[in-house]
Amino acid sequence: MSLPNCPKCNADYTYEDGALLVCPMCAHEWTAAETQVANAQIEEEGIVRDAVGNELQDGDAVTVIKDLKVKGSSIVIKVGTKAKSIRLLDDPVDGHDIDCKLEGFGQMKLKSSVVKKA
């Protein structure tokens, strides 16, 4: 079994010292469990979840869960406004990770934290 690289400096000279993994380059110590948790977080980074925790995918329908003021306008998007066929963005802009078309408002970018899966 090969040991993982150091999570702090990414050196590949790690060794085991009892229950700990140690990096001789930066003297960082960690457990194998911490490595597994870090790997799970990396795998889950690409997953977009709504305000309730449901996983969102391209083509889903979502509902706005709170009133949203539209920047640069006096328009307010009301609670319950639906967006059909959303598209998830690979590179979120200011936390806006959903691209969709809202009825009566047109094309918009929304944050996944203000919608729930319909």
Side-chain angles (χ1 to χ4, degrees), residues 4 21 34-35 40 44 46 50 63 82 104:
L21 297 171
E34 291 174 11
T35 303
E44 194 170 292
D50 66 2
T63 306
K82 280 192 163 190

Side-chain angles (χ1 to χ4, degrees), residues 6-111:
C6 174
K8 191 171 183 183
C9 70
N10 203 28
D12 59 352
Y13 303 114
T14 58
Y15 63 91
E16 286 183 278
D17 186 19
L20 293 176
L21 297 171
V22 181
C23 175
M25 302 303 284
C26 67
H28 181 67
E29 298 178 347
W30 71 99
T31 63
E34 291 174 11
T35 303
Q36 291 172 349
V37 169
N39 289 341
Q41 288 175 344
I42 289 170
E43 289 177 8
E44 194 170 292
E45 272 184 23
I47 297 174
V48 177
R49 299 195 182 273
D50 66 2
V52 183
N54 298 323
E55 185 177 337
L56 296 173
Q57 296 184 4
D58 286 345
D60 284 344
V62 295
T63 306
V64 176
I65 61 168
K66 67 180 195 174
D67 287 346
L68 302 173
K69 295 179 183 177
V70 178
K71 188 174 183 179
S73 174
S74 61
I75 297 173
V76 175
I77 300 171
K78 298 287 185 180
V79 173
T81 303
K82 280 192 163 190
K84 299 176 187 173
S85 293
I86 65 169
R87 188 172 61 92
L88 301 178
L89 301 174
D90 293 330
D91 297 323
V93 180
D94 295 329
H96 296 83
D97 48 7
I98 298 173
D99 191 22
C100 62
K101 186 174 182 181
L102 296 172
E103 297 173 13
F105 299 101
Q107 200 70 20
M108 284 224 182
K109 289 182 173 44
L110 296 174
K111 294 182 179 182

